[in-house]
Amino acid sequence: MTDDSKDTGHGARPWLAWVLLGVVAGSACQLQQSRLWGWGAYAVLAIGALAVAGLLAAGRRACSWPVFPAAAVLAFALVGLRAVQFAGSALPPSLEGRDIALTGTVAAMPQRNDGGLRFRFEVESALAAGQPVDVPPQIYLGWYGGLGFDEAQRQPPQLRAGERWQLTARLKAPHGNLNPHGFDYELWLWEQGLQATGYVRAGPKDPPARRIDAGWRHPVEQARQSVREAIYARVADPKAAGLLAALVVGDQAAIDRADWDVFRATGVAHLMSISGLHVTMFAWAAALAVGWLWRRSARLCLAWPAQHAALVGGVALATAYAVFSGWGVPAQRTIWMLATVGLLRLSGRRWPWPQVWLLAGAVVVAIDPWALLQAGFWLSFVAVGVLFASDAGSAGADGAAVGRRLRAFFREQGVVTLALLPLTVLLFGQVSVVGLLANAVAIPWITLLVTPLAMAGVVAPALWDVAAWALQALGLWLEWLARWPWATLSTAAPPPWAAAAGLLGGVLLVLRLPAPVRALGLPLLLPVLLWQAPRPPAGEFELLAADIGQGNAVIVRTSGHTLVYDAGPRYSRESDAGHRVLVPLLRALGERVDTLVLSHRDIDHTGGAAAVLAMQPTAALVSSIEDDHELQSVRKSTRCAAGQRWQWDGVGFEVLHPLAGDYAAGVRSNAMSCVLRISNGRQSALLAGDIEQAQEARLVDAVRAEPVEAPGGISTSAMGTDRGLQADVLLVPHHGSKTSSSDAFIAAVRPRIAIVQAGYRNRFGHPAQPVVERYLRQDVQVVQSPQCGAAWWRSVQPAALQCQRAIAFRYWNHRPD
């Protein structure tokens, strides 16, 4: 690209670079707003920015940087206006939890899982109690079949995209779990244009849903669904069929979770879904194919240069692929980026590659400003920058041999893999050590063999069998690599300064600079790779009550040890709080868990345990689960029993319940909850599981039993901790059920803060209002996870509690009443 920088007739004007930077900067600033302003304020800003831009253009000043603030303010205002307009069609709070009769269309291919269906629904009309009401134009519905929801629910029918239906549903505002370094489900729904979620009412007393007609709408979605069904009908192996469905029609939910674990461990997950990087690679391969075919005809080459035909063909085929795979937001962003770079090259303008890269990113941000908060955008941005801005692909533009062009293609894929390594560490806190080796085989195997066969199978279904065999062979290779010791490297989430240094190091490594200069990028990566999250000082401890919905999961940290109390619920056969919340959170904190305590066997406390234990192979398991519980085969459990005590770093841990004799009494699982008290002699915390008022009364009458010999190496030596139930912070028993939290128990504990871990608008009604009032009458601050998100409490500041929804709240996040 050295020639590009010398070109003056077609080079980028300096002021344009400032405009592009302003678009990105202004959009990024608007995304930091916790609350939206009125549309009038944004309109005034936009008019003012346009006026300033007009004055600058009329003045033709030699200095070009003043356009930066004008462009930034204009971008800020325009993004704000878009957000205000979209937020105006939100679901009214008065309609949450009510039965609403909806008429509308299934807008996309439904996703089926073990619990039922999930699908997008375009609303035509809505009635509540027979009266018309306004609901968002697109909603995200579930149609459950009884598993883990309501056993009386009717089984969902075989929905098809484009069908019009009348059905009754209960809606709620978009609400997701909000945790540090976690996935923002509410932002995802916002980007998808979905402003309400809910479920179809299909019980015996509910009006039955009725299909109105098959409909002609959404023909692409209908075709996608037909192809997916054809793949499953043709391919006998359900795992291979799921992978083919993901590659052809973008059905990522069809991939088994165990396969996802292998793909992440080997660094090839980007190849198994229709991500931005996948679309980029498809465009690159398509361009090579179109260019090769074009050069076979002298007439075509005389009519239009082969490199132009290859560029247009690659982008066009990638667009068709993205549309057929569902036109997801990541694919859209990549198409806009590829089209921008392609148009610039077709125009004959020869810009320095940093400006080409910036233009592509600015166009995407202008179309979808919320992309700046998505990992997929940055992965695609880097991939496009490496593949297009480097101009290395021009090696095949002069009619060189196919082999040379293919070698250039493989070299580019290797460069992309290397370039994404530091970014992957920053975005996900994990990198595959075997990724280079895995991608060396997987990239050409998937890009040049499996994907073409899978796409061609739409016309010749027999080719799906060949593609399935190829996937099975690749799976054996990847599974072998994933079993290697140290196949992955995990790092704690770095602070901003370390992240900036790592990004700079990654940029230096992939720039076309002299080797000594590029080598300077290596030490800049060290802060990212070696960063350790701050821990409490000796003698202090902290609690992080994760936001996991209806269940319990608390991370307890001392200066040198970590305990996890409960592991949250299982959401479905393929999803649980361990995989979705705890494992990413523990990885971001750089934690090595010493002990996992499972209070009792209920699935809302043990659902994520297997994932946590798999991530933490040295963690001890302490619980009250039965000897034949399925988790015993994962990790042998030590029974919790009153009197067990141990000390870590000047902080004492004591089990207060159950008694050893309770295991033979055959009591309910809630009554067997392991109750854990943590104290440093000054501040204390009480984690109460799901005990009910009978167990609370026993704890009040006898604070703890005499120390007993604890199995599993847990010491029962005296620690000098204070006796009593008193605690500064209490994990409210049984999520605030009306069967727990008696007045006598609250008075004995005397907490400053009571944390309720429960799901938003959960079907159990937790926490019960009378229970909340009991705490408030005794001047206890009640903190509920739907309103707080993840909650931090530290013994060095016992009267304070930090809520993730308070410190990281943005205008698209839900703030429950």
Side-chain angles (χ1 to χ4, degrees):
M1 295 291 288
T2 54
D3 292 341
D4 297 352
S5 60
K6 297 178 182 178
D7 188 290
T8 57
H10 300 285
R13 298 179 183 272
W15 61 265
L16 183 57
W18 287 109
V19 170
L20 299 176
L21 285 171
V23 169
V24 175
S27 301
C29 288
Q30 197 281 332
L31 299 184
Q32 303 308 309
Q33 286 194 288
S34 58
R35 292 184 182 276
L36 290 172
W37 301 338
W39 69 268
Y42 294 116
V44 169
L45 283 178
I47 293 172
L50 288 173
V52 171
L55 291 174
L56 291 172
R60 296 184 178 181
R61 296 171 56 90
C63 181
S64 57
W65 69 262
V67 301
F68 170 78
V73 172
L74 180 60
F76 180 96
L78 293 179
V79 175
L81 285 171
R82 289 175 59 183
V84 168
Q85 186 274 332
F86 182 70
S89 57
L91 179 72
S94 60
L95 294 181
E96 287 192 283
R98 296 179 59 185
D99 285 354
I100 301 177
L102 301 173
T103 301
T105 304
V106 179
M109 179 176 66
Q111 303 289 330
R112 182 174 291 274
N113 57 36
D114 56 334
L117 293 173
R118 299 288 292 176
F119 59 98
R120 294 170 183 258
F121 196 67
E122 286 183 350
V123 179
E124 300 172 10
S125 63
L127 300 174
Q131 299 298 316
V133 293
D134 291 326
V135 300
Q138 278 208 44
I139 58 180
Y140 197 38
L141 290 178
W143 197 329
Y144 303 105
L147 181 61
F149 188 79
D150 184 350
E151 297 301 331
Q153 287 275 104
R154 303 186 188 98
Q155 290 296 319
Q158 292 294 330
L159 290 184
R160 298 194 64 82
E163 292 179 339
R164 295 180 66 240
W165 281 78
Q166 286 182 343
L167 48 83
T168 301
R170 284 191 180 176
L171 304 180
K172 63 180 180 180
H175 186 93
N177 303 327
L178 204 57
N179 294 281
H181 314 291
F183 175 69
D184 191 343
Y185 179 63
E186 295 162 22
L187 173 61
W188 181 84
L189 289 171
W190 176 282
E191 254 200 318
Q192 298 292 321
L194 301 168
Q195 292 180 287
T197 63
Y199 65 93
V200 176
R201 298 282 292 172
K205 299 181 180 179
D206 297 308
R210 183 174 69 89
R211 190 182 78 162
I212 301 173
D213 56 58
W216 52 268
R217 300 171 180 83
H218 307 290
V220 174
E221 291 296 323
Q222 294 180 28
R224 293 177 64 223
Q225 188 169 356
S226 297
V227 170
R228 182 181 65 177
E229 293 171 353
I231 290 174
Y232 276 98
R234 175 78 194 190
V235 179
D237 181 6
K239 296 179 68 174
L243 286 169
L244 290 175
L247 291 172
V248 177
V249 299
D251 186 9
Q252 297 186 31
I255 300 179
D256 188 77
R257 190 175 73 181
D259 287 336
W260 274 125
D261 292 340
V262 172
F263 299 152
R264 293 189 183 101
T266 54
V268 302
H270 60 280
L271 295 172
M272 304 301 176
S273 62
I274 312 301
S275 64
L277 184 59
H278 193 88
V279 173
T280 302
M281 290 181 174
F282 184 90
W284 196 254
L288 284 176
V290 171
W292 182 84
L293 291 173
W294 199 270
R295 292 185 183 93
R296 305 283 71 79
S297 170
R299 181 177 298 179
L300 290 176
C301 289
L302 290 173
W304 205 27
Q307 57 265 40
H308 289 181
L311 183 59
V312 173
V315 175
L317 289 173
T319 302
Y321 181 38
V323 170
F324 192 73
S325 65
W327 198 234
V329 172
Q332 293 178 40
R333 291 194 294 254
T334 306
I335 292 300
W336 304 137
M337 196 178 295
L338 293 173
T340 300
V341 175
L343 288 173
L344 185 63
R345 290 195 169 185
L346 288 175
S347 70
R349 299 183 182 275
R350 300 175 61 82
W351 289 6
W353 75 261
Q355 293 187 10
V356 176
W357 203 12
L358 182 59
L359 174 64
V363 168
V364 173
V365 170
I367 296 172
D368 178 17
W370 298 277
L372 287 168
L373 301 174
Q374 301 290 353
F377 165 77
W378 296 104
L379 293 173
S380 300
F381 191 39
V382 171
V384 170
V386 170
L387 292 175
F388 285 91
S390 68
D391 204 32
S394 62
D398 58 356
V402 174
R404 186 185 305 175
R405 291 198 296 273
L406 288 177
R407 286 194 298 273
F409 171 73
F410 294 145
R411 183 170 61 252
E412 288 303 307
Q413 306 316 307
V415 170
V416 169
T417 301
L418 285 172
L420 294 182
L421 283 177
L423 192 59
T424 302
V425 172
L426 288 175
L427 295 174
F428 304 111
Q430 184 181 24
V431 66
S432 174
V433 177
V434 299
L436 284 175
L437 188 57
N439 277 280
V441 175
I443 286 177
W445 196 262
I446 293 294
T447 306
L448 302 179
L449 178 63
V450 175
T451 300
L453 286 172
M455 298 300 294
V458 176
V459 179
L463 294 177
W464 283 331
D465 295 327
V466 182
W469 297 334
L471 282 172
Q472 290 166 350
L474 179 64
L476 295 175
W477 164 251
L478 296 177
E479 289 172 4
W480 179 68
L481 289 177
R483 289 194 295 268
W484 285 18
W486 307 102
T488 59
L489 172 66
S490 297
T491 63
W497 67 266
L503 285 174
L504 178 59
V507 169
L508 286 176
L509 287 175
V510 299
L511 286 178
R512 296 196 305 159
L513 296 171
V517 179
R518 295 170 63 186
L520 294 177
L522 293 174
L524 291 175
L525 295 177
L526 293 180
V528 173
L529 298 176
L530 303 179
W531 174 257
Q532 296 293 322
R535 301 192 68 89
E540 303 293 345
F541 67 101
E542 64 184 26
L543 271 61
L544 173 55
D547 188 6
I548 40 80
Q550 184 67 24
N552 280 158
V554 180
I555 300 172
V556 184
R557 305 169 77 228
T558 68
S559 64
H561 293 80
T562 300
L563 177 143
V564 176
Y565 181 87
D566 280 338
R570 178 182 297 164
Y571 306 119
S572 68
R573 185 177 66 88
E574 292 293 323
S575 177
D576 57 63
H579 273 93
R580 284 175 50 178
V581 178
L582 292 178
V583 167
L585 183 53
L586 291 168
R587 183 180 295 126
L589 294 174
E591 296 296 334
R592 183 185 64 82
V593 176
D594 297 278
T595 301
L596 171 62
V597 176
L598 299 178
S599 61
H600 61 299
R601 70 183 181 211
D602 287 1
I603 198 64
D604 56 333
H605 297 254
T606 63
V612 174
L613 292 172
M615 177 204 181
Q616 302 286 342
T618 62
L621 177 60
V622 177
S623 71
S624 63
I625 61 175
E626 302 87 342
D627 292 339
D628 59 352
H629 193 279
E630 61 182 358
L631 285 173
Q632 296 281 9
S633 62
V634 178
R635 191 76 45 84
K636 189 63 177 176
S637 173
T638 296
R639 284 183 173 180
C640 62
Q644 294 173 347
R645 293 181 292 178
W646 67 97
Q647 189 173 26
W648 288 339
D649 312 310
V651 178
F653 294 76
E654 181 176 10
V655 177
L656 303 182
H657 182 81
L659 298 175
D662 291 339
Y663 285 93
V667 297
R668 294 177 55 195
S669 62
N670 286 352
M672 292 298 297
S673 292
C674 306
V675 177
L676 183 66
R677 187 169 184 269
I678 308 159
S679 177
N680 62 3
R682 299 176 300 278
Q683 286 79 38
S684 55
L686 187 65
L687 310 180
D690 275 1
I691 61 171
E692 299 180 341
Q693 292 187 10
Q695 292 77 48
E696 293 173 355
R698 189 164 73 176
L699 286 172
V700 172
D701 292 340
V703 174
R704 59 186 176 186
E706 290 297 321
V708 298
E709 185 64 28
I714 299 176
S715 172
T716 60
S717 59
M719 301 176 297
T721 57
D722 53 322
R723 291 178 175 269
L725 283 177
Q726 189 279 327
D728 295 275
V729 61
L730 168 68
L731 182 63
V732 172
H734 202 182
H735 322 288
S737 166
K738 61 184 178 181
T739 62
S740 302
S741 297
S742 64
D743 286 316
F745 178 74
I746 298 172
V749 178
R750 304 190 307 279
R752 299 183 185 188
I753 301 170
I755 299 175
V756 181
Q757 286 189 303
Y760 176 64
R761 300 190 67 86
N762 64 85
R763 61 193 178 105
F764 306 103
H766 294 159
Q769 188 58 35
V771 171
V772 174
E773 293 172 356
R774 288 178 208 159
Y775 283 98
L776 296 178
R777 283 197 300 268
Q778 299 197 37
D779 297 324
V780 179
Q781 177 188 356
V782 178
V783 177
Q784 302 181 39
S785 54
Q787 288 77 25
C788 178
W792 286 92
W793 179 88
R794 298 173 174 86
S795 62
V796 294
Q797 295 177 306
L801 183 137
Q802 284 187 323
C803 288
Q804 186 67 15
R805 280 195 184 272
I807 62 179
F809 190 84
R810 298 294 182 266
Y811 57 80
W812 56 80
N813 289 132
H814 181 221
R815 192 187 299 273
D817 296 331

